[in-house]
Amino acid sequence: MVNSKHWSIKHADLSDRASISALLSTARWQHQHFDWVSVLDLLSESPFLIALDRDLVVGCLACPPDPPRVAWLRIFSIAADYSPAYIWDQLWPDAVAQISANHVKQAAALLSGDWFAPILKGFGFEHTNDVIFLEHRGEAPPTPLLPLGTVRTMLPKDIEAVIELDQSAFQDIWQYSPETLRQAYKHAAIATIIEHNDEPLGYQISTASIYGAHLARLAVTPQWQGRGFGKALVVDVINRFFHQGVLKVSVNTQTDNEQSLRIYRKLGFRDTGSRHPVYQLQLDG
Ligand SMILES: CC(C)(COP(=O)(O)OP(=O)(O)OC[C@H]1O[C@@H](n2cnc3c(N)ncnc32)[C@H](O)[C@@H]1OP(=O)(O)O)[C@@H](O)C(=O)NCCC(=O)NCCS
């Protein structure tokens, strides 16, 4: 591992775009959040810090708060031959000082590999949950449920109501900011809402790629939960994809999210074995 005397740290700006892009494509160690925007789109946000060895960008760390009181670790990338623990030591104190000053209540990370966990634990992060992936591969789609409400395509005019609905349904670190929800809607292959007497009670947003579809967001307004609206949205979207010829639909949820797991398992979603630990750190902010 390189131990250079020529370290410096700075806040990244748009002029660092090419160097960061080069680091991202060659990094030996990289933690990247499941995000709706690309890492380079975070450059105008803060904290986005880079570690330099002379003029060479050898590490970067970004955790801009979103939602406002939560700083997810969105990227932590380290060049080959540099130590992740050492680069973390250089970058994290500045990052945490900045988010704490902005009244962020907690930092969080959704891990994809084992290498990062010991570093996070050394800085007080705790393993609080796991996110698992499930998959539905239907020979035939589930039978549509008797309509409890009407499922229809989400329209741009619905977005404000959906933002409100989403914020009432999700707690804590799982909330989306309005901007993130707009990004999710922009990337949707199928976005639907379920309504009753013209009131939106739930919604889902799904994406599609060559690998299949992914149900990315599902929520029902708390007063209306437990009455089958969530399940109706999932059944409907599987049917919509099936009729487009998309037979594989994946989803992810937390292992302690019993309501959603019950829906997915009952509808024939099977665990893929993919499991991503969630680490959280409470801050004083
Ligand atoms: C997950 C969510 C969308 C489910 O919507 P919903 O309309 O409440 O769900 P449904 O009524 O269609 O079905 C829920 C199932 O869970 C069961 N359920 C309800 N509350 C439960 C609880 N506390 N524990 C276990 N099961 C529960 C219901 O009985 C039903 O099962 P059944 O069909 O066997 O009777 C909703 O709870 C929600 O918005 N949660 C917060 C956001 C969230 O976590 N989204 C999912 C992210 S993947």
Side-chain angles (χ1 to χ4, degrees):
M1 296 284 171
V2 174
N3 188 8
S4 165
K5 291 182 186 147
H6 304 281
W7 288 101
S8 58
I9 292 169
K10 78 169 192 93
H11 290 268
D13 58 43
L14 293 176
S15 68
D16 299 308
R17 201 180 170 87
S19 339
I20 293 171
S21 179
L23 169 67
L24 298 177
S25 56
T26 55
R28 167 75 181 84
W29 309 96
Q30 190 151 285
H31 161 80
Q32 189 168 355
H33 192 58
F34 299 136
D35 238 325
W36 290 101
V37 292
S38 85
V39 172
L40 295 174
D41 289 338
L42 300 175
L43 266 175
S44 50
E45 300 187 33
S46 59
F48 195 137
L49 300 165
I50 51 179
L52 296 142
D53 183 358
R54 290 198 163 88
D55 291 336
L56 187 67
V57 175
V58 295
C60 72
L61 168 64
C63 53
D66 188 331
R69 299 285 173 258
V70 182
W72 281 100
L73 300 179
R74 316 278 282 276
I75 187 76
F76 176 46
S77 187
I78 304 97
D81 296 334
Y82 290 82
S83 148
Y86 187 78
I87 301 259
W88 177 263
D89 281 354
Q90 308 305 308
L91 297 178
W92 178 243
D94 266 31
V96 80
Q98 225 179 99
I99 56 177
S100 299
N102 282 326
H103 311 293
V104 168
K105 297 237 175 292
Q106 52 185 319
L110 181 58
L111 303 196
S112 295
D114 295 338
W115 62 272
F116 198 10
I119 298 177
L120 292 176
K121 282 191 211 156
F123 279 76
F125 281 76
E126 285 175 26
H127 181 190
T128 53
N129 208 338
D130 288 286
V131 166
I132 53 169
F133 278 72
L134 302 99
E135 223 170 66
H136 186 278
R137 285 174 184 262
E139 294 293 307
T143 311
L145 301 175
L146 288 176
L148 291 159
T150 315
V151 181
R152 66 163 174 83
T153 299
M154 191 196 297
L155 301 171
K157 72 177 171 66
D158 298 315
I159 198 79
E160 295 305 323
V162 168
I163 288 169
E164 203 177 308
L165 190 165
D166 190 89
Q167 294 193 340
S168 70
F170 281 92
Q171 299 300 313
D172 194 28
I173 57 172
W174 305 109
Q175 277 194 354
Y176 270 6
S177 65
E179 184 45 34
T180 299
L181 194 42
R182 286 194 186 93
Q183 284 292 337
Y185 179 56
K186 199 168 114 189
H187 289 90
I190 298 180
T192 48
I193 64 172
I194 189 159
E195 57 185 6
H196 184 58
N197 293 336
D198 290 335
E199 189 195 346
L201 304 179
Y203 86 100
Q204 71 74 37
I205 286 178
S206 298
T207 55
S209 72
I210 50 166
Y211 304 107
H214 181 69
L215 201 177
R217 198 78 175 164
L218 171 72
V220 169
T221 202
Q223 307 88 290
W224 291 91
Q225 288 177 9
R227 302 184 200 196
F229 289 106
K231 197 180 198 177
L233 279 163
V234 180
V235 169
D236 178 82
V237 76
I238 296 172
N239 273 274
R240 287 176 192 239
F241 277 122
F242 188 84
H243 290 115
Q244 292 179 8
V246 181
L247 307 187
K248 193 179 96 179
V249 182
S250 62
V251 70
N252 58 286
T253 191
Q254 311 91 278
T255 44
D256 65 356
N257 194 329
E258 291 175 22
Q259 293 98 312
S260 66
L261 279 170
R262 195 171 166 106
I263 296 177
Y264 302 141
R265 294 215 163 106
K266 266 196 146 178
L267 292 176
F269 283 81
R270 302 271 171 264
D271 291 31
T272 61
S274 171
R275 179 177 278 261
H276 300 259
V278 179
Y279 278 80
Q280 285 176 255
L281 173 71
Q282 297 298 327
L283 302 169
D284 295 334

